[in-house]
Amino acid sequence: MPVKPPSDSTGERRGTSYDVARLAGVSQSAVSRCFREGGSVSPATRKRIMAAAEALGYRPNAIAQGLITRRSNMVAVVISNLTNLHYPEVLAELTTRLSNRGIRVLLFTLQNESEIDAVMDQIWRYQVDGAIVAARLSRDQAEVFARSRIPLVLYNRQMEEAPVSSVMCESGAGEAMLVDGMIAAGARAFGLIAGPGDSTVGEARVRAAVERLAQAGLRDVPVDRGDFSYQSGYDAALRLMKAAPLDAIIAANDVMAIGAMDAVRIECSLAVPDRVSVVGFDGVAPARWASYRLTTVRQPVGRMTEAAVSMLMDRIEDASIGPERRLFSGDLLRGASARLA
Amino acid sequence: MPVKPPSDSTGERRGTSYDVARLAGVSQSAVSRCFREGGSVSPATRKRIMAAAEALGYRPNAIAQGLITRRSNMVAVVISNLTNLHYPEVLAELTTRLSNRGIRVLLFTLQNESEIDAVMDQIWRYQVDGAIVAARLSRDQAEVFARSRIPLVLYNRQMEEAPVSSVMCESGAGEAMLVDGMIAAGARAFGLIAGPGDSTVGEARVRAAVERLAQAGLRDVPVDRGDFSYQSGYDAALRLMKAAPLDAIIAANDVMAIGAMDAVRIECSLAVPDRVSVVGFDGVAPARWASYRLTTVRQPVGRMTEAAVSMLMDRIEDASIGPERRLFSGDLLRGASARLA
DNA sequence: CTGTTAGCGCGTTCAG
DNA sequence: CTGAACGCGCTAACAG
């Protein structure tokens, strides 16, 4: 990479601990100690050093610190599609919480899953202290983290066969509440809108709903598939309704549910929830908008992100801590898009 | 301690260029050259080095590289409220584009504007090559970047009195199109929903609308204020409608416009756009949802983020390039929430 | 409590 | 084309 020419014309280099030391008339290591936690420095010299540092606008160089400490105080956050409406909230919470603990976020967003390898390369090069991944990870890729000794926490992803730490929002209880409520209110003709087949959470939600429906004696429920987007939910709902009239639609996430509501109400001209109930999963902000008032299961994003961060930090502090999975349950958000008993 | 710890399972340090050099039987500097652009290495030794690197899973340590080259290949991205629905899209685009140029994103999100100082401290410590800021910055804070010689580009913010690079979506043309269209279609009783007073883009949009209305002979247009959130748009619309019946509402952003639509249609039971036209600004995804089909001005996010990134990169490569402002115009998105002629 | 000394892992002259 | 030597800015023993 092209190196910038050293201090062209007026370009003064940024002050180092050495400059501060000279100005304060002490050794460089005194300055270093002054900026660390348990540094033993006499109040008098500390004062002098701080004054000198202030005068020079000195701040310890985190890059140099990282090189010698082997702690970059950076954590990689990998998110697949930021446009998914639920993730921005997750990302904001993660960033805030990490920041509160003095950790910086190195952000990686993926368009295609294939980019993950390039990302892992960068993660490795940047000596991040750990990684939180909200994207599909193959078993091999998870292994790389393990071999590299980079603590890893998956967010709403699961690694069935490998022992990897993760936090998830469990789908069973939530879907059961939705299904039970709708059945009790008289719904019988159900339809499902699944997410992309490679989404573990999406599949888990659909599976949970299907199982609960089966327990209630409802089998062979039609399932269509979307990609978690509004349009895909809209289209899937239309296909389902065309194939057979339904009185309840369960979508794998809120945005598709919203799309389904619009399709049912606007294109099919059927009242929601009077003729058709629609439910989702996530609890994104638009689900509460007055035009939708979606009945859904809200993920406890605050507790989940806090869990992810603290699990990661624990494993950064002590690399010997083994993997752990934490499962959270969602809260039923009683909107007005489904008849629930 | 010159003795390298044996690769027992606990202590395994990551391989360095020295390790690669030893395995390949060359010097460390040969390895270094091998991983740089124009490094002069004979094909034979290059092959040996690459083989050794492969065997050890060696990757250059970006932290160490940054220390010596003074280029971290990291750029700080500062965003105020990620939950604002328009910003996730911006962030995703910025990240992708930076990533394509081999730059990593160090993300900072702000809850309160007061956090900006702590963020600037971190930006400085981490030796980022530059910063893209989509948050309010005081003149003094911008000065800090200048003094620190950290290239800075503001995104949709403007610094009136100071020469700072920025990319903005210009409001005048867009608001004019909206206003003119609605007036031509017969609207006369306008109401405005502004953003928070400290938002330069928000104020600019309102000012643009007010001016255009004044040109058309419409003065003393009532203005209420929100904070860019759905609820605040909803509430503001109710207050406006209660004070005086309106036939057109102009909101400073899409999310408030959506809130206003819901207030008008659901709480006031007035048809949109038949009785009341509602328009926004941004062009966020939900604006296109069938329940809203918001008439709005879409920001050219792709071109704007590309501009921000390339402006920043240019100034990173050549620090002597002066500030520049780039103004983009939005496209009118003809939805169905306003009667436009 | 303070200074001295040794690196962290790498890029880069400058001799050979 | 290659290697020895130096230093980026800092932390961490270790003496004094």
Side-chain angles (χ1 to χ4, degrees), chain B residues 236-255:
Chain B
L238 285 187
R239 287 192 298 267
L240 285 171
M241 294 297 287
K242 200 157 292 178
L246 305 174
D247 49 30
I249 294 178
I250 300 174
N253 77 334
D254 283 352
V255 177

Side-chain angles (χ1 to χ4, degrees), chain A residues 32-319:
Chain A
S32 174
R33 279 194 296 265
C34 205
F35 279 82
R36 276 194 47 64
E37 281 286 311
S40 58
V41 190
S42 76
T45 59
R46 150 160 279 134
K47 194 152 206 157
R48 287 227 311 290
I49 292 173
M50 285 319 218
E54 185 69 21
L56 294 173
Y58 169 76
R59 298 276 188 294
N61 181 329
I63 297 294
Q65 280 179 318
L67 183 56
I68 190 159
T69 309
R70 297 154 173 299
R71 285 258 298 194
S72 60
N73 286 321
M74 294 192 298
V75 158
V77 173
V78 184
I79 290 199
S80 54
N81 38 4
L82 250 187
T83 51
N84 241 10
L85 225 51
H86 179 59
Y87 285 111
E89 192 182 346
V90 171
L91 178 57
E93 293 258 12
L94 285 175
T95 306
T96 303
R97 295 188 138 83
L98 287 166
S99 178
N100 289 342
R101 299 180 186 229
I103 301 294
R104 251 60 53 197
V105 169
L106 205 56
L107 176 67
F108 297 92
T109 61
L110 304 178
Q111 320 280 30
N112 318 320
E113 301 292 345
S114 57
E115 299 176 32
I116 185 79
D117 287 311
V119 164
M120 307 233 334
D121 184 69
Q122 294 303 323
I123 288 179
W124 167 252
R125 288 161 112 105
Y126 274 86
Q127 315 276 105
V128 298
D129 297 335
I132 295 176
V133 174
R136 245 182 85 71
L137 217 59
S138 74
R139 201 205 142 107
D140 283 349
Q141 287 160 339
E143 287 273 332
V144 174
F145 281 94
R147 274 203 310 276
S148 310
R149 306 199 180 290
I150 298 176
L152 167 67
V153 173
L154 299 181
Y155 190 94
N156 258 350
R157 313 285 153 147
Q158 204 159 311
M159 189 116 295
E160 305 291 353
E161 340 77 27
V164 177
S165 293
S166 61
V167 329
M168 296 248 313
C169 183
E170 172 265 347
S171 348
E175 294 293 353
M177 287 190 286
L178 294 173
V179 168
D180 293 353
M182 289 191 285
I183 289 179
R188 287 296 175 274
F190 281 80
L192 267 60
I193 304 178
D198 59 4
S199 160
T200 54
V201 280
E203 293 301 274
R205 291 170 192 171
V206 167
R207 208 165 39 238
V210 166
E211 278 169 15
R212 194 67 175 193
L213 287 165
Q215 284 174 21
L218 297 171
R219 299 179 184 280
D220 300 321
V221 176
V223 178
D224 207 308
R225 211 173 267 289
D227 61 3
F228 286 147
S229 73
Y230 171 88
Q231 192 60 46
S232 75
Y234 191 100
D235 295 341
L238 284 188
R239 287 191 298 266
L240 285 171
M241 294 298 287
K242 202 157 291 179
L246 304 175
D247 50 29
I249 294 178
I250 300 173
N253 76 335
D254 283 352
V255 177
M256 289 198 297
I258 286 173
M261 276 185 77
D262 279 348
V264 168
R265 291 194 302 196
I266 298 172
E267 192 136 346
C268 303
S269 301
L270 295 174
V272 173
D274 298 337
R275 288 286 299 276
V276 183
S277 289
V278 179
V279 299
F281 205 106
D282 279 346
V284 299
R288 290 187 293 279
W289 291 355
S291 288
Y292 298 110
R293 301 185 60 204
L294 189 67
T295 297
T296 187
V297 174
R298 180 171 42 203
Q299 296 193 50
V301 179
R303 282 180 294 143
M304 288 174 67
T305 52
E306 177 58 30
V309 168
S310 76
M311 283 170 66
L312 186 67
M313 295 307 292
D314 289 348
R315 282 157 185 77
I316 289 174
E317 301 304 341
D318 180 356

Side-chain angles (χ1 to χ4, degrees), chain B residues 242-322:
Chain B
K242 200 157 292 178
L246 305 174
D247 49 30
I249 294 178
I250 300 174
N253 77 334
D254 283 352
V255 177
M256 289 198 298
I258 285 173
M261 277 185 77
D262 279 348
V264 168
R265 290 193 302 195
I266 298 172
E267 192 137 346
C268 304
S269 300
L270 295 174
V272 172
D274 298 337
R275 286 287 299 276
V276 183
S277 288
V278 179
V279 299
F281 205 105
D282 278 347
V284 299
R288 289 188 294 278
W289 290 355
S291 288
Y292 298 109
R293 300 184 60 202
L294 189 67
T295 297
T296 187
V297 175
R298 179 171 43 205
Q299 297 193 49
V301 180
R303 282 181 296 144
M304 288 175 66
T305 52
E306 177 58 30
V309 168
S310 76
M311 283 169 67
L312 187 67
M313 295 307 292
D314 288 348
R315 282 155 186 78
I316 290 174
E317 300 305 341
D318 180 356
S320 70
I321 303 178

